[in-house]
């Protein structure tokens, strides 16, 4: 099991995403932000589910893409 460390800017980005979506729908804003957090939670038990970020060339820094549709 790995530990996920959120940067301040990443948390702010999620907050901004939620605020933007909430302008049209509080429900979908909450669903989206929760699903994004859940996707990252998967990385704790499955750290290699994403792909390595080429800019860093470090296996411990990954990128996980999640499509959220409703």
């Amino acid at each position: 099991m790995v530990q996920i460390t959120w940067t301040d800017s990443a948390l702010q980005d999620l907050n901004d995403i939620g605020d933007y979506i909430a302008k049209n729908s509080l429900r979908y804003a909450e669903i989206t932000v929760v699903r994004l957090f859940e996707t990252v939670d998967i990385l704790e038990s499955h750290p290699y589910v994403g792909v390595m970020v080429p800019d860093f060339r470090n296996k411990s820094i990954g990128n996980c893409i999640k499509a959220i549709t409703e």
Side-chain angles (χ1 to χ4, degrees):
M1 184 93 101
V2 299
Q3 178 183 351
I4 302 298
T5 304
W6 287 88
T7 63
D8 291 338
S9 64
L11 292 172
Q12 184 61 52
D13 287 346
L14 285 174
N15 188 52
D16 292 345
I17 290 166
D19 288 346
Y20 179 78
I21 296 170
K23 291 177 184 178
N24 293 310
S25 172
L26 290 174
R27 177 175 177 255
Y28 286 113
E30 182 178 340
I31 288 169
T32 300
V33 173
V34 166
R35 287 186 181 173
L36 289 169
F37 274 110
E38 288 172 350
T39 300
V40 174
D41 288 344
I42 291 169
L43 295 173
E44 288 182 329
S45 53
H46 303 285
Y48 298 109
V49 74
V51 295
M52 184 178 70
V53 178
D55 296 349
F56 295 103
R57 296 186 179 151
N58 182 337
K59 289 182 183 178
S60 67
I61 300 173
N63 185 5
C64 188
I65 299 170
K66 174 75 173 183
I68 300 175
T69 59
E70 279 292 320

